[in-house]
Amino acid sequence: MKIALAQLNYHIGNFTANNEKIIHHITRAKADGADLIVFAELAVGGYPAKDLLRNTQFIQQCTNSLQEIAQACQGIYCIIGSPVTNTDPEGKPLYNAAVVLADGQIQHICKKSLLPDYDVFDEYRYFEPNRSASCIEIAGEKVALTVCEDLWDDEVSNSYVGDLMAELRKENPSLIINIAASPFSYTHFDNRINVLKRNVIKAGCPLVYVNQIGAHADIIFDGRSLALDRNGNILSALEGFSEDYTVVDIYAQSPATTKDLSVENHDKPSEIALIHQALLLGIRDYFQKSGFKRAVLGLSGGLDSAVVAALACEALGAENVLAVLMPSVYSSEHSLKDALDLVENTGCSYQIIPIKDVAEAFEQTLSEPFRDRAPDLTEENIQARIRGTVLMALSNKFGHILLNTSNKSEAAVGYGTLYGDMAGSLSVIGDVYKTQAYALAGYINREREIIPVNTIVKPPSAELRPDQKDSDSLPPYDILDSILYQLIELEKSVTAVIQSGFDETLVKRIAGLLNNAEFKRFQAPPILRVSPKAFGSGRVMPLVAKYF
């Protein structure tokens, strides 16, 4: 049996473009002699469509698209993900389904059972879970057709049919097919591939897994679709973070040279290399799918803005990136030089707009209400807000989209100014800890110096007061990030983090900063998600609460 795997980048709600892409690949698969072509979960309409799924016109367009795609399925079977209507008035109005098309018609509808409601997922808001499971026949094969988490059912307990895969295995399927919209995180792939292999070994039959790629503001899909033989060996592995297509003979023996992508394989891309690819895709898709072309950002001479500038130039082309240098009376000469060196290395355009006079005007304007009060954080924040205002003015005047340059460590402890350096339409590295940002800078420089070495090696500073260093306010980033990782990604209690060996006073201080900064993050731009627990929809906390 020859199966085509179509790993595509879908645009939510862009039915015309999506249908053209899907039908093109159906035609291509027929020409390649494929018996079946497989697309990703909720490919029709795009994912995550969120509350568009409550819009009757959107659902009707999904139905119309399925009918149009079905007409192209003459002489070939097609499996594609789509929302389908639930006719039972007692349940949710939709199912998340894998739809089988052939001979111009819908042949089967396999509904998703395990609806995730953790992290960035909220499928119970829209879909009714399937409450039964059975194999279907496609081209003479008995197929266990599943949708994303349904394949993980032996690890997750809230399925309405118990262990769904155990039920399907009772029917002795000859093939497992899983369509997915599985978001990227730098920890997820090893777990994903182990789940796929475990299901193959248990069922004793081949498996085809098709994931989508692309970014939708915060959520990034990495693709990396797979076909495994009955022994769990990889017959075909599609590229990550890009559209890809292949046709595989699912019952062929895997070649001896097939690369093993399991946990033990040390030739896999590094964590930082994957983050780099994901961020490039996130930037590129945010602009292309929103109809934007040019970006603007503040370039301080520091590490974070340098990393974001380098990523933006790579993703969008340096000709589409404007870097704005906004020195104050506290800006050092080396910071200005570092920023200009990066401009030269990347080839982006730049402007220098000093903020000294504007800051002095604010001081004069506020001199009376601030009388008899010493300068403090207020004056530092005014400088940051001046810079944010300048950047937004340029964005408004020239139609450039402002990229935010704050990192995850800063966002976690509130080391940023609302309406100042937290301004922007997209937070590029808001899910990248400072220690990871250093590693990312090194990776960006892997072939030549793009980010100036001095930017990487000098002590980090916001340069909002004389001789300021980040270390004046925060512990060393390696310690800070280790504590934050346990509190955020591992969701450990303060007590558990202390018991793991960290100083009690420091942990409580960091946890307090984390909790108290929630109101800032609530107003932050969307963050490109690359970790298993990013700020935003995947970590929703109360703004007013007593945490410990």
Side-chain angles (χ1 to χ4, degrees):
M1 187 179 193
K2 297 179 72 174
I3 301 177
L5 284 65
Q7 176 181 287
L8 304 180
N9 189 340
Y10 304 102
H11 187 184
I12 297 169
N14 192 342
F15 292 94
T16 299
N18 291 343
N19 280 17
E20 288 177 356
K21 184 180 295 189
I22 291 164
I23 292 171
H24 166 77
H25 281 82
I26 291 171
T27 303
R28 180 180 179 182
K30 286 196 291 186
D32 290 339
D35 304 292
L36 166 68
I37 183 169
V38 183
F39 298 94
E41 177 184 10
L42 292 173
V44 176
Y47 180 80
K50 299 188 177 181
D51 276 7
L52 282 176
L53 292 166
R54 295 178 175 271
N55 185 297
T56 55
Q57 182 178 350
F58 180 85
I59 298 304
Q60 184 59 54
Q61 287 178 299
C62 289
T63 301
N64 295 344
S65 289
L66 270 180
Q67 293 171 349
E68 181 182 349
I69 295 166
Q71 293 306 308
C73 298
Q74 305 290 344
I76 190 171
Y77 284 87
C78 168
I79 294 174
I80 192 165
S82 177
V84 298
T85 302
N86 176 17
T87 57
D88 184 352
E90 296 300 319
K92 298 286 179 64
L94 298 172
Y95 288 106
N96 179 350
V99 181
V100 181
L101 306 173
D103 298 327
Q105 297 180 339
I106 294 175
Q107 304 290 332
H108 302 282
I109 296 176
C110 295
K111 304 157 188 171
K112 189 173 183 178
S113 171
L114 184 57
L115 302 178
D117 58 357
Y118 57 89
D119 199 68
V120 297
F121 304 103
D122 191 14
E123 291 193 27
Y124 276 107
R125 180 177 175 88
Y126 310 104
F127 299 115
E128 179 72 9
N130 182 35
R131 300 170 191 271
S132 62
S134 60
C135 294
I136 60 173
E137 184 175 312
I138 299 178
E141 301 290 339
K142 185 181 286 187
V143 178
L145 178 55
T146 58
V147 182
C148 207
E149 277 81 6
D150 286 346
L151 200 68
W152 299 58
D153 199 53
D154 57 346
E155 291 194 340
V156 187
S157 60
N158 63 336
S159 170
Y160 278 85
V161 293
D163 187 337
L164 182 140
M165 284 307 303
E167 293 298 312
L168 294 175
R169 284 195 297 269
K170 291 177 182 178
E171 300 182 35
N172 296 315
S174 57
L175 174 64
I176 300 170
I177 296 178
N178 182 259
I179 63 171
S182 180
F184 168 77
S185 82
Y186 56 77
T187 65
H188 189 50
F189 185 66
D190 287 339
N191 193 23
R192 182 195 295 166
I193 195 170
N194 287 337
V195 167
L196 298 178
K197 288 190 171 189
R198 185 166 64 249
N199 275 278
V200 166
I201 298 303
K202 285 183 177 180
C205 66
L207 182 148
V208 169
Y209 165 83
V210 175
N211 190 25
Q212 62 174 269
I213 71 108
H216 306 280
D218 53 340
I219 301 176
I220 301 168
F221 298 98
D222 58 324
R224 294 197 278 183
S225 305
L226 296 166
L228 308 179
D229 71 12
R230 59 173 50 88
N231 297 312
N233 299 313
I234 294 172
L235 287 168
S236 183
L238 274 61
E239 292 295 322
F241 306 99
S242 63
E243 291 192 325
D244 202 1
Y245 163 91
T246 192
V247 176
V248 61
D249 183 348
I250 196 63
Y251 294 114
Q253 294 298 312
S254 58
T257 57
T258 295
K259 182 183 289 188
D260 183 6
L261 299 180
S262 67
V263 179
E264 293 78 17
N265 175 36
H266 298 292
D267 294 328
K268 296 180 301 181
S270 69
E271 176 182 298
I272 292 300
L274 292 172
I275 291 174
H276 177 256
Q277 287 182 281
L279 294 178
L280 291 178
L281 178 60
I283 297 169
R284 193 176 296 121
D285 269 14
Y286 183 84
F287 277 74
Q288 290 179 353
K289 292 179 179 180
S290 301
F292 304 135
K293 291 184 178 180
R294 295 179 176 85
V296 62
L297 73 154
L299 190 63
S300 66
L303 181 81
D304 299 327
S305 62
V307 167
V308 173
L311 290 168
C313 288
E314 187 173 354
L316 305 174
E319 68 278 8
N320 292 314
V321 178
L322 171 62
V324 185
L325 289 63
M326 295 170 285
S328 73
V329 294
Y330 304 117
S331 299
S332 61
E333 286 298 321
H334 68 75
S335 290
L336 188 63
K337 181 182 184 302
D338 292 341
L340 290 172
D341 285 346
L342 184 132
V343 166
E344 183 177 352
N345 293 345
T346 60
C348 68
S349 59
Y350 77 98
Q351 291 187 18
I352 301 177
I353 304 177
I355 66 167
K356 175 178 176 292
D357 292 345
V358 184
E360 289 177 351
F362 266 94
E363 290 179 13
Q364 180 63 33
T365 301
L366 294 168
S367 61
E368 179 60 26
F370 287 0
R371 185 181 54 193
D372 301 328
R373 290 180 179 269
D376 57 15
L377 190 62
T378 305
E379 284 74 18
E380 296 181 28
N381 287 341
I382 286 173
Q383 295 174 71
R385 290 186 176 119
I386 291 169
R387 289 177 170 133
T389 300
V390 169
L391 291 168
M392 284 307 304
L394 292 169
S395 172
N396 292 159
K397 185 64 70 175
F398 300 107
H400 290 36
I401 298 304
L402 177 57
L403 296 179
N404 180 267
T405 62
S406 299
N407 64 61
K408 189 172 188 174
S409 307
E410 294 172 343
V413 297
Y415 199 64
T417 303
L418 272 175
Y419 326 120
D421 54 337
M422 289 182 65
S425 296
L426 182 69
S427 175
V428 175
I429 59 170
D431 198 28
V432 177
Y433 286 113
K434 186 74 169 190
T435 47
Q436 293 175 312
Y438 279 108
L440 190 53
Y443 184 81
I444 290 170
N445 284 358
R446 64 194 181 280
E447 295 179 355
R448 66 180 181 91
E449 183 178 304
I450 296 174
I451 297 175
V453 171
N454 190 59
T455 295
I456 299 173
V457 300
K458 67 185 178 185
S461 170
E463 294 191 332
L464 296 173
R465 63 175 183 265
D467 301 318
Q468 184 182 26
K469 301 288 187 296
D470 288 8
S471 56
D472 299 339
S473 307
L474 301 172
Y477 278 112
D478 57 341
I479 297 174
L480 174 64
D481 291 353
S482 296
I483 294 172
L484 289 173
Y485 185 84
Q486 294 201 47
L487 290 171
I488 300 168
E489 274 84 349
L490 301 184
E491 299 181 287
K492 286 188 177 182
S493 67
V494 170
T495 300
V497 177
I498 294 169
Q499 290 174 346
S500 71
F502 290 98
D503 176 75
E504 178 178 354
T505 301
L506 179 59
V507 172
K508 288 184 175 179
R509 178 184 166 226
I510 298 306
L513 291 172
L514 174 65
N515 297 330
N516 291 337
E518 195 62 46
F519 79 99
K520 289 187 176 183
R521 293 189 293 271
F522 190 80
Q523 301 176 69
I527 296 170
L528 294 178
R529 178 188 184 271
V530 296
S531 81
K533 185 61 66 176
F535 295 128
S537 61
R539 186 181 184 273
V540 182
M541 304 293 284
L543 295 185
V544 286
K546 189 177 187 309
Y547 287 92
F548 64 89

